[in-house]
Amino acid sequence: PILADDQALALPAAVEGRIAYLGFGVNTTECVKSCVSLTDGVEKSLNSYVLFEGQSLNKKISNVPALIDLSDMRDYEGFLNVVKPLSKGNKNREARKAVEQGFYCKPFTLKNFIPDYVEINHSKDNRSGGQMRGVYLKNIDDLGGAPDRRYPLIMPTCSYHWRIMFGVFKRVEGYKQGDLCTDEKLVGYISLVRYGTVVLYSQILGHGDELKNNIMVLLHFEVMRWLLDPCNVNSKGLRYVMYGAWESGGQALQDWKKRVGFLPYFMIAGRSGVAAHSLDEHGVEFHI
């Protein structure tokens, strides 16, 4: 264990005693060279969210993470049972309405949808996190240009460490991205990054003109359906879904997170060679 039985943590009031034990690991039988590069910077990037083994128990956690604990959900129906009471079923109805309007979700290859991706990023000057900046201001040429052919969707080699783009689309017959006829338009996306027992919403954005159509609720619900599918090899051993800091984006975004299943947690993780979480149901022990 990372903490001895007699060690006490000064937990932020918001977490109400909820503690998440993480393992990021690169020691599974599936791991490849890219797993090392993916997890290499995880301690630096999550340092403001996580108490790592060996750090002072008095460490100030400046960003309390918003997490969904998957351990008691089992499947997608379990997720729905959790979130329905949080919004009196409103979020589930919003997701169904988006489907009725023709929207659908799936993993996708970003190279095939660069123009749509840029259009989404530029569709609003300000979001819940403030003025758009950085990578969100890049244009089509900055990102390699519109596609001149169809790029295949390549799923991860390792189930425990990966990056996957998940998008929400609407059917538009004859619609093109550069020279590529896609017959569909990308209107929102979530960039998922898995580090062992946790998957991060590293980017989440919807087209400003389509937000009123509940596309991001649908996208979140469909990502959860995919992650909780017992047949999905890319989610085996997964314990948590994280969407940034609990207080980021103001009260409106915090309310949205709460109504779709996220709660504030205190996160603890081991360092290299120290298990941060016990064996998962597949017998995999996670380490940083």
Side-chain angles (χ1 to χ4, degrees):
I2 295 171
L3 301 177
D5 291 338
D6 61 351
Q7 287 180 302
L9 288 168
L11 299 178
V15 307
E16 298 179 347
R18 288 180 291 268
I19 301 177
Y21 291 91
L22 307 184
F24 301 130
V26 286
N27 66 329
T28 76
T29 56
E30 296 183 29
C31 283
V32 293
K33 187 180 294 185
S34 60
C35 298
V36 177
S37 59
L38 181 67
T39 58
D40 227 13
V42 67
E43 183 171 344
K44 181 179 179 181
S45 62
L46 292 183
N47 190 53
S48 64
Y49 295 91
V50 180
L51 174 67
F52 288 95
E53 191 223 4
Q55 293 180 332
S56 169
L57 298 187
N58 296 318
K59 172 187 173 183
K60 179 176 174 56
I61 300 297
S62 55
N63 289 308
V64 174
L67 299 181
I68 296 176
D69 186 344
L70 305 179
S71 57
D72 296 325
M73 292 182 178
R74 302 288 181 183
D75 54 22
Y76 182 63
E77 286 302 315
F79 166 71
L80 292 181
N81 289 337
V82 169
V83 299
K84 280 179 181 177
L86 301 177
S87 66
K88 299 181 180 179
N90 288 338
K91 292 303 178 186
N92 192 32
R93 285 191 290 273
E94 288 175 7
R96 290 203 304 268
K97 286 181 181 179
V99 172
E100 291 167 1
Q101 292 176 86
F103 296 99
Y104 56 95
C105 305
K106 62 180 180 179
F108 71 99
T109 300
L110 179 57
K111 284 185 178 181
N112 291 332
F113 293 93
I114 292 295
D116 281 349
Y117 176 78
V118 170
E119 184 178 326
I120 292 168
N121 292 349
H122 289 230
S123 62
K124 291 189 71 174
D125 292 332
N126 290 277
R127 303 272 181 165
S128 57
Q131 187 172 1
M132 300 299 287
R133 57 190 181 276
V135 296
Y136 293 107
L137 299 181
K138 289 186 175 182
N139 60 36
I140 294 173
D141 290 336
D142 292 334
L143 296 169
D148 56 1
R149 62 186 182 280
R150 185 177 302 277
Y151 292 89
L153 176 64
I154 301 174
M155 297 304 282
T157 302
C158 176
S159 301
Y160 300 94
H161 308 96
W162 42 254
R163 294 180 184 273
I164 294 174
M165 295 289 286
F166 221 95
V168 54
F169 296 83
K170 63 180 180 181
R171 179 68 56 183
V172 182
E173 296 298 329
Y175 187 75
K176 287 188 173 184
Q177 299 282 279
D179 296 330
L180 175 65
C181 183
T182 61
D183 291 321
E184 59 184 355
K185 181 178 178 64
L186 176 72
V187 295
Y189 65 85
I190 297 178
S191 176
L192 302 170
V193 183
R194 180 172 181 182
Y195 299 111
T197 55
V198 62
V199 64
L200 275 57
Y201 282 11
S202 69
Q203 289 180 303
I204 173 171
L205 215 61
H207 196 293
D209 294 342
E210 300 288 2
L211 293 177
K212 62 182 182 296
N213 294 319
N214 306 308
I215 59 170
M216 301 313 287
V217 173
L218 174 62
L219 181 54
H220 169 62
F221 274 46
E222 289 305 303
V223 166
M224 295 300 297
R225 185 196 300 273
W226 181 74
L227 290 174
L228 288 164
D229 182 349
C231 298
N232 182 4
V233 297
N234 295 119
S235 60
K236 63 183 180 182
L238 185 64
R239 178 68 186 271
Y240 300 103
V241 178
M242 174 179 166
Y243 180 6
W246 178 247
E247 296 182 350
S248 67
Q251 190 62 47
L253 182 56
Q254 185 179 121
D255 289 343
W256 190 92
K257 291 176 182 178
K258 187 185 302 183
R259 288 171 182 158
V260 297
F262 291 95
L263 287 170
Y265 274 76
F266 190 88
M267 294 200 301
I268 299 174
R271 290 183 182 275
S272 181
V274 179
H277 197 63
S278 59
L279 296 179
D280 73 6
E281 67 270 30
H282 301 280
V284 175
E285 186 175 14
F286 287 99
H287 304 263
I288 290 180

